[in-house]
Amino acid sequence: MIVQSVNTYRNDYLEQLLSGNRNECSRIAKQYISENPSIKDLYEDVFRGALYQVGVLWETNKISVAKEHLATAITEGILNELYGNLEVLEKQNKKVILTCVENELHQVGIKMVADIFEINGWDTYFLGTGIPVTELVKYIKEENPRVLAISMSIFFNYQTLVRMIDVLKQEFPDLSIILGGQAFLHKKEGDFKKIEDIKYVSDLYELDHYLKTI
């Protein structure tokens, strides 16, 4: 049972992120886990909520890009600290490749997604940022994954995503592709229909449910 409210944890974590206090952020995360041993809840209720707020503060020029990058780096470091806490279910003999849209610089969200796949017993191939679509195509041919997961944090990269998916669909018409990320909070419905045949996952709970159906 969580002694403090989720909102308190999230707000405290956000405050320490903005102060650049990694040790305190780590302590808050570990305290949460001691009260609620669900990595998925921690990621969704604390990390994701705090980082989305950091993104909003950056977009509205209330914090610098340096502070935004620091918040992301701190959280990614804590994900690495907590990796040993993942309780993996029965292995599924399924592969997923995880990457970001070309030109994206933020990989912490897709890293959390990778952990949810691992918890569900998948073999994960986390590529992170900076992978050109030509290299991604080559790697997909090498590994033959069941799913490709793509993250987009900045809506400015939407047309890049559309072009990327066009290439992937031509090369791999039967490959399951899922999308997620903060950028989709600002999506325009008309534009989104251009890639309506792609699965959009709004949060880690939806992802977890989806993985139990495929």
Side-chain angles (χ1 to χ4, degrees), residues 27-38:
R27 184 198 66 77
I28 291 169
K30 290 174 182 176
Q31 181 179 336
Y32 181 98
I33 287 294
S34 72
E35 297 179 10
N36 174 16
S38 169

Side-chain angles (χ1 to χ4, degrees), residues 22 26-27 30 74 76-85:
R22 173 171 176 165
S26 179
R27 184 198 66 77
K30 290 174 182 176
I74 287 173
E76 188 168 352
I78 295 173
L79 293 183
N80 294 333
E81 288 179 26
L82 297 176
Y83 182 76
N85 293 75

Side-chain angles (χ1 to χ4, degrees), residues 10-190:
R10 185 187 305 119
N11 292 338
D12 288 350
Y13 186 79
L14 174 61
E15 180 181 354
Q16 296 305 319
L17 276 183
L18 296 176
S19 297
N21 192 334
R22 173 171 176 165
N23 287 338
E24 188 62 16
C25 286
S26 179
R27 184 198 66 77
I28 291 169
K30 290 174 182 176
Q31 181 179 336
Y32 181 98
I33 287 294
S34 72
E35 297 179 10
N36 174 16
S38 169
I39 288 288
K40 181 171 57 181
D41 287 349
L42 173 66
Y43 286 6
E44 185 65 32
D45 295 336
V46 180
F47 291 172
R48 180 173 179 262
L51 287 174
Y52 272 26
Q53 185 59 36
V54 168
V56 170
L57 292 172
W58 171 71
E59 289 175 353
T60 54
N61 296 316
K62 293 180 180 177
I63 62 172
S64 67
V65 67
K67 185 166 287 191
E68 185 266 343
H69 280 210
L70 179 59
T72 301
I74 287 173
T75 302
E76 188 168 352
I78 295 173
L79 293 183
N80 294 333
E81 288 179 26
L82 297 176
Y83 182 76
N85 293 75
L86 299 185
E87 295 185 6
V88 179
L89 303 178
E90 182 180 353
K91 294 295 289 184
Q92 297 296 313
N93 195 29
K94 299 174 184 176
K95 293 181 180 181
V96 57
I97 291 176
L98 305 105
T99 190
C100 299
V101 177
E102 284 187 279
N103 304 322
E104 284 279 344
L105 299 175
H106 299 84
Q107 64 180 24
V108 66
I110 196 70
K111 198 164 189 175
M112 287 191 276
V113 168
D115 286 353
I116 299 303
F117 271 95
E118 288 209 21
I119 288 171
N120 280 276
W122 287 59
D123 294 324
T124 62
Y125 298 81
F126 175 75
L127 304 184
T129 63
I131 303 297
V133 68
T134 52
E135 293 301 313
L136 179 59
V137 166
K138 292 178 185 177
Y139 194 66
I140 291 172
K141 289 178 179 178
E142 290 177 16
E143 295 298 339
N144 190 30
R146 177 86 172 263
V147 172
L148 172 68
I150 303 174
S151 174
M152 184 173 73
S153 299
I154 308 298
F155 193 76
F156 179 80
N157 291 324
Y158 185 82
Q159 293 305 321
T160 301
L161 172 66
V162 172
R163 291 191 294 271
M164 183 179 180
I165 288 177
D166 284 344
V167 172
L168 292 168
K169 278 299 184 181
Q170 289 177 21
E171 292 280 351
F172 313 103
D174 298 322
L175 177 63
S176 295
I177 301 175
I178 63 173
L179 303 175
Q182 186 170 5
F184 292 99
L185 296 178
H186 311 295
K187 66 182 176 64
K188 298 177 182 178
E189 188 63 28

